[in-house]
């Protein structure tokens, strides 16, 4: 157990093991009015970021009640914000965890309107400052586009017309000493 | 006979997709219309360095190619309790360059672990939004206070102190007099440093502590002052080490004496010179047996029981292990009293002629890594050497070693460090199993790129990581069925290639964004596409092996790779290097329009019939249908009727018939045959929305359901890289046309690739929901049916 812990905290500094990349496919479902999200990462990255986040060793294949942990994690690190900066509700759908791939599925209740929303995405940010998340958008009849999220740009507007602009609000940060 | 144009019957055009036909991409600029179109096939000369006598236009080393040679004789001692290293090295620098050198640059990469290092000071901020534990605060404080830098005792030449200046991880050694071309300079460095505890300061080197038994595993890399590269491209490659860009090093010969606690076992680059002094007789006998060719697996040199006994009762005193290595660019080693050890002697060379040499494939690991390591590690080492040798050259070194310890995965000549271990109870998940096999293949594979094909890692990460990940994939698919489709599918890289925050592959290592995608994923996918889709396996494999052969034990640059791949294949790839390596464009083809024609038979009866059928098949308009029953005046007064009331323009006149017969007489047999041939003409209009040009792969689905693939080389875009039209000529009607149906080209949006267009395919999310909503799983279904 101890070695695993040691290993866990060493690895994020190395190049090979951690891909430090997630890809989310986001599409708009006109019938439900929701954005539907399939978020991909490597199981290894997911384990490491959850463990650091929750300050205990998480094993995806051993954790009894994994879904609520994942839902909570997505709720805090994949936030869709409306024009006032208020977080849009996230509805958890499920997960698929395979050998090389972990997929997390959830909906974002935008009530039929995605155009004025801003996405805050810092999944994996606690592993290494060089993380990079990609979000592939398939919104209505627009051509598919990808947005990139990294330490410098954790927040971006969904609408192509707004993507160059800085959002007028920023997310609250709080530094708490835990444990 | 006069040339008579054939007449074509237009069966309709289908237009769909984006009507704002052309999306501007990166290269489009403001300016006059005629300058707007970029030339995707413009040759690369203006981007590549001018060929020279050192590096030729063919991509090979030129007749004046030179590289420096640096030999080291090192005595180093590890003091375990304080994790202290002290060393003394004698360096012989051979100046093969045509230049006189007034100073030498020496790399002190361990200085990256000084609190004040440039790398430390420019590190990004951690994420504090979810708090910080005492443990991570502690680690952070240690990182800011631990001094793992190299402390130089002295630098001397023939007993005289040399003047030196240290700039972060680089040390300049000023020579007493300029070193002329062909000259040699010997000097000595004494140094010491403290090894980082890898649980607190992670790096590509370090020591791991095992609290249960109180022992350490040391994995030592960049542990001695190493000469920087001086070459014809950079002069001195003396960029300081910021933490990402790995190492650029010269080849040379090493003689290294490593003094460690007497009960330690040492694994190192090179061949052990004094087995009588450091190994037991039993161990030496086992090694001799392991090296007999024809063994069907590894032989244990130190067993689990022996390792347990060894680590339980530390011995007093020290022992010195003596290694030698030739033609290596670096030297790494590992030391511990915890090691188990196995060995498998294999033959590297031509089994037909017997020309070649023996290689000792070996692994060293602690009991905590059992039982995975005895089962997989050395097998993976041997597998890697065998597959890589097929795609490059025979493995030239005498040993290849995999060591388990604190480092997750890092490569050095003949030796590499690999992290994955099972659970404490010895079980392991499938994922850990494949992580272990994958990382060993990857790190052992680095022997080829960049340890032997010695590219400049500090500048170009893709040249070693991209190429190595590509061959790793070739080795993995030969391990077992599981590996099918894990890497290298072009569709896996499309989301990254669409993203806005990208830099081209041709970017310095330290400035890369999304390191994994940029330096590993995209170049390896690019090579895979070259091999499978653009060049074909035969042409690619020969050219790739030729690059490896030409630059074996030399320092290649990107241009040498680009040029060799063309030189050895006769395939002009400038467009490919330009698009994939120098831009951030992506692939997105759109099948915008399909026009369908058939040959007219010219027979007026036949043609009129077709037109009549088409006319009759058309649905009557609603208005017309409702008006039909209305009584008509001409019916009430038939005297109003004339010729035109019965005239049908589709009735063949006798004049037309006469002309047709005359025409037939004027044609020869072949021409007459063509009039009855069932030729189908499809003109495809394809828009390039992503910017990258690629081959156009056209799948034709005929009415009987059979398929035919037509592959058009990328040069179809040579005159217009934004839109092309191509003619598809078939003998049978086609019911569906798909562009790139097997997703070979990394097309980022395949929804606009088909005619007629598909109903939108389900998203990944929708597929998951369907699966979730299905009441039974496939197994339950199968059970209920039986
Ligand atoms: Zn690598």
């Amino acid at each position: 157990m101890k070695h695993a812990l040691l290993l866990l905290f060493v690895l994020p500094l190395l190049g090979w093991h951690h891909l430090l990349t997630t890809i989310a496919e986001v599409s708009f479902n006109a019938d439900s009015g929701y954005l539907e999200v399939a978020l991909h990462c490597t199981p290894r990255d997911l384990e490491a970021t959850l463990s650091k986040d929750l300050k205990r060793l998480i094993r995806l294949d051993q954790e009894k009640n994994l879904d609520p942990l994942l839902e909570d994690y997505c709720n805090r690190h994949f936030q869709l914000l409306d024009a006032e900066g208020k977080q849009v509700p996230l509805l958890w759908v499920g997960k698929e965890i395979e050998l090389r791939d972990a997929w997390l599925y959830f909906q974002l209740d935008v009530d039929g309107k995605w155009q004025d929303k801003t996405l805050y995405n810092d999944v994996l940010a606690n592993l290494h400052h060089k993380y990079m998340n990609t979000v592939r958008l398939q919104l209505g009849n627009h051509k598919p586009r990808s947005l990139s999220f990294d330490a410098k740009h954790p927040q971006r507007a969904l609408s192509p017309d707004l993507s160059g602009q800085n959002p007028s609000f920023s997310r609250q940060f709080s530094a708490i000493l835990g444990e | 006979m006069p040339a008579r144009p054939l007449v074509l019957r237009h069966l309709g055009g289908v237009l769909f997709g984006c009507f704002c036909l052309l999306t501007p991409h990166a290269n489009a600029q403001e300016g006059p219309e005629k300058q707007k179109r970029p030339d995707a096939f413009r040759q690369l000369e203006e981007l590549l360095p001018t060929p020279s006598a050192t590096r030729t236009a063919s991509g090979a080393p030129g007749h004046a190619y030179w590289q420096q040679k640096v030999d080291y004789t090192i005595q180093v001692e590890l003091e375990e309790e304080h994790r202290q290293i002290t060393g003394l090295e004698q360096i012989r620098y051979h100046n093969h360059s045509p230049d006189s050198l007034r100073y030498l640059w020496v790399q002190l990469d361990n200085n990256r672990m000084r609190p004040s290092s440039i790398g430390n000071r420019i590190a990004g901020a951690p994420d504090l939004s979810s708090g910080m534990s005492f443990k991570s605060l502690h680690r952070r404080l240690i990182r800011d206070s631990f001094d793992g830098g190299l402390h130089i005792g002295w630098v001397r030449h023939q007993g005289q102190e040399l003047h030196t200046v240290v700039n972060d991880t680089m040390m300049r050694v000023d020579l007493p007099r300029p070193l002329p071309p062909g000259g040699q300079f010997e000097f000595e460095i004494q140094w010491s440093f403290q090894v980082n505890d890898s649980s607190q300061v992670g790096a590509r080197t370090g020591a791991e502590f095992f609290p249960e038994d109180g022992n350490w595993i040391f994995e030592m890399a960049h542990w001695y002052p190493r000469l920087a590269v001086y070459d014809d491209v950079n002069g001195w490659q003396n960029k300081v080490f910021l933490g990402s860009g790995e190492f650029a090093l010269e080849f040379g010969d090493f003689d290294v004496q490593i003094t460690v606690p007497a009960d330690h076992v040492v694994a190192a680059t090179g061949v052990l010179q004094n087995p009588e002094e450091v190994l037991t007789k039993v161990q030496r006998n086992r090694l001799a047996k392991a090296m007999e060719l024809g063994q069907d697996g590894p032989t244990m040199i130190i067993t689990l029981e022996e390792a347990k006994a060894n680590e339980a009762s530390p011995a007093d005193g020290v022992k010195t292990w003596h290694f030698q290595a030739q033609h290596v660019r670096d030297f790494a080693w590992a030391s511990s009293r915890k090691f188990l050890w196995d060995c498998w002697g294999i033959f590297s060379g031509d089994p037909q002629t017997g020309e070649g040499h023996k290689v000792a494939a070996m692994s060293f690991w602690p009991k905590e890594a059992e039982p995975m390591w005895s089962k997989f590690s050395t097998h993976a080492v041997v597998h890697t050497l065998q597959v890589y040798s097929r795609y490059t050259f025979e493995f030239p070194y005498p040993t290849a070693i995999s060591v388990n310890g604190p480092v997750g995965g890092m490569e050095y000549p003949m030796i590499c460090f690999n992290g994955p271990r099972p659970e404490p109870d010895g079980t392991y998940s499938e994922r850990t199993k494949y992580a272990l096999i994958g990382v060993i293949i990857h790190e052992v594979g680095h022997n080829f790129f960049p340890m032997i094909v010695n590219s400049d890692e500090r500048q170009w990460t893709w040249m070693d990581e991209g190429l190595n990940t590509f061959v790793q994939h070739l080795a993995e698919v030969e391990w077992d069925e599981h590996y099918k489709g894990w890497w290298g599918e072009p569709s896996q890289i499309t989301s990254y290639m669409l993203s806005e925050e990208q830099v081209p592959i041709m970017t310095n290592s330290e400035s890369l964004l999304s390191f994994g995608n940029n330096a590993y994923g995209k170049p390896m996918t690019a090579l895979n596409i070259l091999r499978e889709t653009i060049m074909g396996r035969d042409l690619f494999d020969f050219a790739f092996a030729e690059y490896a052969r030409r630059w074996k034990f030399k320092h290649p640059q990107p241009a040498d790779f680009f040029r060799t791949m063309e030189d050895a294949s006769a395939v002009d790839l400038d467009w490919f290097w330009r698009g994939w390596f120098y831009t951030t464009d992506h692939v997105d083809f759109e099948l915008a329009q399909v026009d369908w024609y058939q040959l007219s038979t010219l027979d007026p009866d036949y043609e009129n019939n077709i037109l009549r059928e088409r006319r009759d098949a058309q649905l009557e308009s609603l208005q017309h249908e409702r008006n039909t029953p209305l009584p008509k005046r001409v019916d009430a007064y038939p005297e109003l009727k004339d010729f035109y009331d019965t005239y049908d323009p589709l009735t063949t006149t006798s004049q037309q018939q006469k002309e047709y017969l005359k025409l037939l007489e004027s044609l020869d047999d072949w021409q007459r045959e063509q009039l009855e041939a069932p030729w189908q003409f499809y003109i495809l209009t394809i828009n390039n929305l992503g910017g990258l040009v690629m081959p156009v792969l056209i799948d034709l689905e005929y009415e009987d359901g059979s398929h035919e693939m037509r592959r058009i080389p990328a040069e179809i875009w040579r005159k217009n890289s934004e839109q092309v039209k191509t003619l598809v000529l078939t003998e049978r009607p086609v019911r569906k046309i798909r562009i790139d149906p097997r997703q070979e080209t990394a097309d980022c949006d395949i929804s606009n690739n088909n005619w007629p267009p598909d109903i939108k395919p389900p998203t990944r999310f929708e597929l998951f929901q369907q699966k979730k909503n299905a009441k039974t799983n496939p197994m339950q279904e199968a059970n209920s049916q039986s």
Side-chain angles (χ1 to χ4, degrees):
Chain A
M1 198 72 173
K2 275 240 169 62
H3 313 301
L5 254 176
L6 289 181
L7 206 62
L8 183 78
F9 289 120
V10 173
L11 286 176
L13 295 155
L14 301 167
W16 196 82
H17 269 96
H18 284 271
L19 203 55
L20 297 171
T21 293
T22 69
I23 293 175
E25 298 174 12
V26 177
S27 47
F28 178 63
N29 183 330
D31 295 334
S32 65
Y34 291 160
L35 289 180
E36 299 177 332
V37 184
L39 172 69
H40 175 269
C41 54
T42 69
R44 196 172 188 89
D45 282 358
L46 185 60
E47 257 174 9
T49 190
L50 281 178
S51 299
K52 267 192 114 166
D53 194 66
L54 300 169
K55 303 178 184 67
R56 68 186 175 85
L57 186 67
I58 302 288
R59 283 298 167 88
L60 298 176
D61 45 358
Q62 285 166 21
E63 192 67 27
K64 288 269 147 53
N65 230 341
L66 188 57
D67 280 69
L69 297 186
L70 295 173
E71 179 181 353
D72 174 58
Y73 181 84
C74 292
N75 232 320
R76 285 181 290 115
H77 297 285
F78 197 99
Q79 298 189 343
L80 197 66
L81 308 167
D82 67 16
E84 276 80 51
K86 229 175 78 223
Q87 187 178 355
V88 163
L90 181 150
L91 313 169
W92 183 252
V93 175
K95 60 165 194 307
E96 279 178 303
I97 296 181
E98 292 154 11
L99 221 50
R100 276 227 167 160
D101 307 291
W103 288 93
L104 314 182
Y105 301 95
F106 50 89
Q107 295 160 321
L108 297 165
D109 182 359
V110 294
D111 200 14
K113 193 169 181 235
W114 54 266
Q115 287 82 350
D116 60 343
K117 305 293 188 292
T118 305
L119 181 61
Y120 179 92
N121 176 352
D122 70 344
V123 176
L124 304 186
N126 65 356
L127 287 186
H128 196 283
H129 65 276
K130 282 202 168 168
Y131 78 95
M132 161 84 76
N133 296 324
T134 300
V135 172
R136 183 183 173 125
L137 301 171
Q138 182 76 64
L139 302 172
N141 290 324
H142 291 256
K143 288 235 27 110
R145 288 188 302 133
S146 283
L147 303 178
S148 304
F149 297 78
D150 59 15
K152 268 201 203 132
H153 306 100
Q155 192 162 327
R156 287 182 185 279
L158 293 194
S159 160
D161 313 326
L162 298 174
S163 60
Q165 296 172 17
N166 285 327
S168 54
F169 49 85
S170 69
R171 195 166 166 272
Q172 290 294 304
F173 286 91
S174 57
I176 315 148
L177 279 175
E179 203 179 86
Chain B
M1 201 209 83
R4 174 182 287 279
L6 285 166
V7 178
L8 288 162
R9 194 189 300 134
H10 190 190
L11 300 183
V14 188
L15 245 162
F16 56 88
C18 173
F19 283 89
C20 56
L21 290 172
L22 306 174
T23 323
H25 52 80
N27 291 329
Q29 313 153 349
E30 295 285 306
E33 191 65 31
K34 64 181 176 186
Q35 289 174 11
K36 265 190 181 169
R37 183 175 296 154
D39 177 6
F41 289 85
R42 193 184 176 99
Q43 292 293 292
L44 277 183
E45 268 80 33
E46 65 217 22
L47 289 176
L48 300 183
T50 307
S52 66
T54 53
R55 291 163 199 275
T56 68
S58 71
H63 67 269
Y65 178 82
W66 55 268
Q67 66 190 23
Q68 309 293 62
K69 180 169 190 276
V70 191
D71 300 324
Y72 298 84
T73 304
I74 307 178
Q75 288 98 44
V76 63
E77 179 157 7
L78 165 67
E79 194 271 298
E80 187 172 26
E81 198 188 335
H82 300 101
R83 306 195 317 270
Q84 197 67 27
I85 292 277
T86 42
L88 175 64
E89 73 184 344
Q90 188 192 48
I91 301 171
R92 283 175 309 287
Y93 189 87
H94 305 264
N95 184 11
H96 294 162
S97 82
D99 313 318
S100 281
L101 302 175
R102 293 184 53 235
Y103 45 78
L104 306 176
W105 281 101
V106 176
Q107 309 187 53
L108 310 175
D109 286 326
N110 260 40
N111 283 359
R112 167 72 182 79
M113 283 186 274
R114 278 184 173 164
S116 62
S117 71
I118 296 178
N120 255 357
R121 283 182 283 150
I122 63 171
D127 173 40
L128 296 179
S129 59
S130 52
M132 189 183 214
S133 66
F134 282 117
K135 197 183 251 158
S136 42
L137 175 63
H138 183 231
R139 268 198 316 272
R140 177 75 200 191
L141 294 177
I142 284 180
R143 220 181 78 190
D144 288 348
S145 61
F146 172 74
D147 183 356
L150 283 182
H151 292 265
I152 302 294
W154 42 257
V155 181
R156 284 179 193 157
H157 168 65
Q158 294 171 348
Q160 297 288 310
E161 202 90 9
L162 290 170
H163 182 252
T164 60
V165 173
V166 174
N167 172 17
D168 202 57
T169 68
M170 285 288 167
M171 176 170 74
R172 193 186 75 226
V173 177
D174 293 334
L175 304 182
R177 67 196 68 81
L179 179 63
Q184 244 188 63
F185 183 72
E186 280 188 25
F187 64 112
E188 293 183 336
I189 303 179
Q190 195 277 336
W191 80 96
S192 63
F193 68 95
Q194 196 187 9
V195 180
N196 54 306
D197 177 343
S198 58
S199 70
Q200 292 164 341
V201 177
R204 295 185 172 105
T205 182
E208 177 184 7
F209 187 61
F210 293 77
E212 284 87 347
D213 51 67
N215 290 302
W216 293 88
I217 292 178
F218 291 85
E219 288 182 329
M220 304 310 307
H222 49 72
W223 53 279
Y224 62 98
R226 304 181 293 180
L227 256 292
V229 167
Y230 182 79
D231 66 19
D232 58 313
V233 175
N234 300 290
W236 285 103
Q237 169 47 290
N238 55 3
K239 291 185 175 56
V240 300
F241 180 40
L242 301 181
S244 287
E246 291 177 322
F247 317 115
L249 297 157
E250 302 283 14
F251 286 106
D253 300 334
F254 282 73
D255 184 296
V256 182
Q257 302 200 35
I258 304 169
T259 302
V260 294
D263 52 356
H264 269 218
V265 173
V266 179
T269 300
V271 177
L272 181 64
Q273 300 298 306
N274 60 341
E276 297 76 19
E277 292 167 31
V278 293
L279 302 182
T280 66
K281 189 147 193 275
V282 175
Q283 289 166 347
R284 294 201 307 270
N285 287 342
R286 288 173 181 168
L287 260 181
K289 180 177 162 278
M291 289 303 291
E292 283 170 16
L293 292 180
Q295 307 286 325
D296 52 8
T299 302
M300 292 303 295
I301 311 301
I302 298 177
T303 65
L304 178 62
E305 293 316 311
E306 290 161 356
K308 278 183 179 167
N310 196 37
E311 71 171 31
S313 52
D316 292 329
V318 295
K319 265 187 193 166
T320 298
W321 296 61
H322 182 197
F323 293 89
Q324 283 182 350
Q326 275 82 45
H327 303 304
V328 287
R329 45 163 264 170
D330 198 2
F331 190 103
W333 52 282
S335 182
S336 178
R337 65 175 61 80
K338 291 181 66 67
F339 282 147
L340 289 80
W341 176 8
D342 73 4
C343 174
W344 187 357
I346 59 159
F347 179 74
S348 175
D350 184 349
Q352 304 299 328
T353 63
E355 230 171 273
H357 64 281
K358 278 188 190 177
V359 179
M362 303 192 280
S363 299
F364 295 78
W365 67 96
K367 66 177 190 300
E368 286 75 8
E370 275 294 85
M372 277 175 87
W373 270 67
S374 56
K375 189 172 176 66
F376 296 121
S377 178
T378 298
H379 255 286
V381 174
V382 170
H383 180 71
T384 309
L385 298 183
Q386 290 172 340
V387 178
Y388 273 66
S389 290
R390 248 191 288 128
Y391 287 105
T392 55
F393 42 74
E394 296 296 347
F395 182 66
Y397 288 139
T399 70
I401 300 170
S402 161
V403 183
N404 179 252
V407 178
M410 189 58 204
E411 70 277 11
Y412 302 96
M414 302 188 220
I415 188 169
C416 57
F417 304 149
N418 302 301
R421 269 181 209 155
E423 301 296 328
D425 66 3
T427 63
Y428 50 86
S429 66
E430 205 179 8
R431 195 145 48 75
T432 308
K433 168 185 162 179
Y434 285 103
L436 175 67
I437 296 167
V439 73
I440 292 176
I441 293 175
H442 181 93
E443 306 305 348
V444 174
H446 270 309
N447 271 298
F448 295 83
F449 308 97
M451 296 303 148
I452 297 170
V453 179
N454 188 7
S455 57
D456 179 351
E457 295 178 90
R458 185 138 304 170
Q459 180 67 31
W460 306 115
T461 301
W462 70 267
M463 285 196 77
D464 60 299
E465 296 302 354
L467 267 58
N468 182 44
T469 306
F470 166 70
V471 192
Q472 175 195 352
H473 164 70
L474 300 179
E476 283 178 343
V477 296
E478 291 190 35
W479 181 275
D480 73 20
E481 275 290 311
H482 255 100
Y483 275 109
K484 210 158 88 186
W486 274 18
W487 286 95
E489 285 299 337
S491 59
Q492 291 166 342
I493 200 77
T494 56
S495 290
Y496 169 70
M497 290 186 67
L498 262 182
S499 66
E500 289 152 16
E501 296 283 305
Q502 268 191 78
V503 291
I505 293 176
M506 287 295 289
T507 299
N508 174 274
S509 301
E510 295 289 355
S511 307
L512 293 182
L513 301 171
S514 195
F515 208 78
N517 281 321
N518 189 298
Y520 293 66
K522 187 176 166 186
M524 93 72 85
T525 308
L527 294 180
N528 221 21
I529 293 175
L530 268 187
R531 180 169 189 254
E532 302 291 358
T533 299
I534 291 165
M535 300 172 74
R537 289 188 174 192
D538 287 347
L539 282 178
F540 179 93
D541 288 352
F542 177 82
F544 188 79
E546 179 66 8
Y547 163 74
R549 195 191 60 74
R550 284 177 174 183
W551 291 96
K552 179 179 170 186
F553 294 121
K554 295 192 171 72
H555 301 305
Q557 290 287 322
D560 301 320
F561 178 68
F562 297 151
R563 286 173 166 148
T564 296
M565 292 301 289
E566 295 190 346
D567 185 68
S569 68
V571 182
D572 180 0
L573 295 170
D574 283 26
W575 61 272
F576 187 83
W577 309 131
R578 181 184 288 281
W580 280 79
F581 287 75
Y582 287 89
T583 78
T584 57
D585 288 349
H586 61 273
V587 185
D588 182 6
F589 291 169
E590 175 192 52
L591 180 51
Q593 184 171 334
V594 175
D595 288 287
W596 179 17
Y597 302 85
Q598 291 170 339
L599 285 182
S600 167
T601 58
L602 303 177
D603 176 350
D605 265 343
Y606 186 86
E607 294 300 319
N608 284 337
N609 260 335
I610 290 183
L611 291 176
R612 199 175 298 115
E613 270 170 32
R614 263 208 266 169
R615 186 180 67 188
D616 296 349
Q618 266 181 4
L619 268 186
E620 205 176 11
S621 86
L622 192 61
Q623 181 182 197
H624 194 256
E625 183 185 283
R626 288 172 179 165
N627 290 342
T628 303
L630 295 180
K632 302 291 185 306
R633 188 169 189 89
V634 291
D635 291 330
Y637 302 92
E639 66 272 23
L640 291 176
K641 289 191 176 178
D642 68 359
F643 168 79
Y644 292 104
D645 287 279
T646 51
Y647 168 69
D648 179 353
L650 294 181
T651 306
T652 309
T653 63
S654 55
Q655 178 63 24
Q656 285 172 327
Q657 197 61 37
K658 245 188 258 165
E659 274 174 24
Y660 170 59
L661 290 174
K662 214 170 116 194
L663 172 70
L664 280 187
E665 266 170 40
S666 74
L667 297 179
D668 64 24
D669 288 350
W670 183 85
Q671 286 171 325
R672 263 193 297 274
E673 249 170 58
Q674 295 314 305
L675 291 183
E676 296 190 358
W679 294 118
Q680 314 288 323
F681 296 77
Y682 299 91
I683 303 277
L684 277 49
T685 305
I686 299 160
N687 291 331
N688 178 359
L689 305 181
L692 275 194
V693 293
M694 288 295 269
V696 178
L697 312 176
I698 302 169
D699 176 66
L700 305 173
E701 185 182 316
Y702 293 105
E703 278 171 349
D704 63 359
S706 62
H707 286 258
E708 189 196 342
M709 193 73 185
R710 305 258 176 113
R711 306 175 78 92
I712 302 176
E715 281 77 3
I716 189 176
W717 301 98
R718 71 200 179 286
K719 290 184 181 161
N720 181 349
S721 60
E722 296 172 344
Q723 186 180 69
V724 289
K725 286 180 191 287
T726 182
L727 167 69
V728 173
L729 179 60
T730 69
E731 273 185 285
R732 291 175 287 161
V734 165
R735 75 174 175 206
K736 184 139 189 119
I737 298 175
R738 295 182 183 83
I739 304 294
D740 191 16
R742 300 172 82 167
Q743 299 186 45
E744 296 177 54
T745 63
D747 193 320
C748 291
D749 180 9
I750 51 171
S751 70
N752 55 9
N753 286 21
N754 304 334
W755 173 80
D758 278 332
I759 298 166
K760 187 174 87 68
T763 63
R764 174 112 207 162
F765 182 95
E766 288 162 345
L767 284 174
F768 176 72
Q769 239 176 1
Q770 285 164 14
K771 219 188 298 177
K772 215 180 146 202
N773 291 342
K775 293 233 166 51
T776 53
N777 66 39
M779 244 168 115
Q780 290 166 327
E781 226 163 84
N783 287 344
S784 73
Q785 277 164 5
S786 61

